[in-house]
Amino acid sequence: MRGALMTGDVTPHAVSRLRSARLARSVKPFMARGGPRGERCAGCRLRPSHCLCGLRPMQPTRAGVCLLMADVEPLKPSNTGWLVADVVQDTFAFGWARTEVDPALLALLADPQWQPYVVFPGEYAAAERVVQAVLPAADSGRRPLFVLLDATWPEARKMFRKSPYLDRFPVLSLLAEQVSRYRLRRSTRSDHFCTAEVAALCLDLGGDTRAAQTLEAYFDVFTHHYLQAKHQLPPDLQNAAHQALHALNGAAAPP
Ligand SMILES: [Zn+2]
């Protein structure tokens, strides 16, 4: 975005780099909802008055996350794949196109340190591919790599159908029970999970409990800052979400 504030002190993560590459390819500047006015922080995409960069809670995890992003997704200020990359050190991000695939994505999927899981509802996959759990560390020398399709639902279905290089991997289908327990715990009424919430569920399944909780808390903090900025109100740095994030981040125990 032209006129964006470059903080310069934050190493751009995978989603940030994808966004820059996508912007460089744009013929015309992408217009975020809300219009062209207003400066945004390059580190968190929020207005400088609502910047989150100081709260970025990077965590070491056993699992990695591979985001396959629909074309325009990295450009949306509301995209939550960005938050996953803020928290999970081993986050990879690739733009998805039906006709071509990034060789770096194929190399990642073939890397023997990872066991990729395509996270998608089981009813769309052949039954023999569907799994509901992640192999525990003791039973697998490999680290789980959660492949998330970061897109609108119609786009995600198309991506799932038209990415033959994903066909050889198990499909991790989040059970209704896990989902409803999550809803209860988080008291969310939404029927739609955003990418950060799906990633948190996956991290939890993979045993990265602390990173999962951190991502949830960080997502809540982001949502607060985002909405307050939208309504031109200052963020409340002492609210429950900030306190939860601080409690998780402040204690220096291993994940
Ligand atoms: Zn920022």
Side-chain angles (χ1 to χ4, degrees):
M1 191 155 306
R2 290 174 306 176
L5 179 77
M6 295 299 295
T7 56
D9 55 355
V10 187
T11 313
H13 55 49
V15 179
S16 175
R17 293 196 304 271
L18 189 60
R19 174 188 163 87
S20 302
R22 180 60 184 75
L23 279 173
R25 282 205 318 275
S26 294
V27 179
K28 54 182 183 185
F30 176 77
M31 216 59 89
R33 233 178 294 175
R37 280 171 298 118
E39 181 183 42
R40 283 173 186 269
C41 169
C44 65
R45 311 159 299 169
L46 294 168
R47 301 200 182 289
S49 55
H50 291 69
C51 174
L52 268 187
C53 291
L55 298 171
R56 223 172 167 189
M58 187 67 84
Q59 299 267 311
T61 48
R62 180 169 82 98
V65 176
C66 174
L67 299 168
L68 293 190
M69 302 179 88
D71 183 52
V72 82
E73 211 56 49
L75 302 179
K76 294 183 186 166
S78 57
N79 171 273
T80 66
W82 185 285
L83 307 179
V84 179
D86 280 340
V87 175
V88 178
Q89 208 157 8
D90 287 314
T91 298
F92 308 87
F94 301 92
W96 186 88
R98 191 178 57 78
T99 49
E100 55 185 1
V101 50
D102 190 330
L105 169 60
L106 298 179
L108 174 69
L109 295 172
D111 183 336
Q113 76 159 305
W114 299 110
Q115 169 59 60
Y117 292 92
V118 183
V119 181
F120 209 72
E123 62 259 41
Y124 294 91
E128 62 270 20
R129 280 179 75 195
V130 178
V131 298
Q132 261 112 27
V134 175
L135 279 176
D139 297 353
S140 161
R142 302 165 82 188
R143 302 168 63 192
L145 179 69
F146 299 114
V147 180
L148 304 186
L149 309 181
D150 195 4
T152 63
W153 174 237
E155 285 168 333
R157 266 187 318 194
K158 183 169 122 191
M159 290 160 77
F160 184 76
R161 279 200 320 270
K162 302 194 179 219
S163 306
Y165 46 88
L166 296 179
D167 289 350
R168 67 183 192 277
F169 299 119
V171 172
L172 178 63
S173 180
L174 302 171
L175 288 175
E177 186 197 314
Q178 290 155 349
V179 171
S180 65
R181 226 183 321 143
Y182 178 88
R183 282 227 174 84
L184 216 61
R185 186 160 50 81
R186 307 263 299 145
S187 61
T188 169
R189 284 175 301 278
S190 165
D191 274 341
H192 177 74
F193 276 179
C194 71
T195 301
E197 291 176 298
V198 173
L201 264 168
C202 291
L203 288 168
D204 195 42
L205 274 179
D208 286 308
T209 313
R210 193 187 155 91
Q213 291 167 347
T214 302
L215 180 53
E216 286 173 6
Y218 185 58
F219 168 62
D220 289 343
V221 167
F222 168 79
T223 304
H224 175 70
H225 281 235
Y226 183 87
L227 292 177
Q228 292 294 99
K230 202 167 159 181
H231 298 125
Q232 299 181 345
L233 294 167
D236 174 5
L237 303 178
Q238 301 302 322
N239 77 353
H242 280 90
Q243 286 181 24
L245 182 63
H246 183 73
L248 284 158
N249 235 2

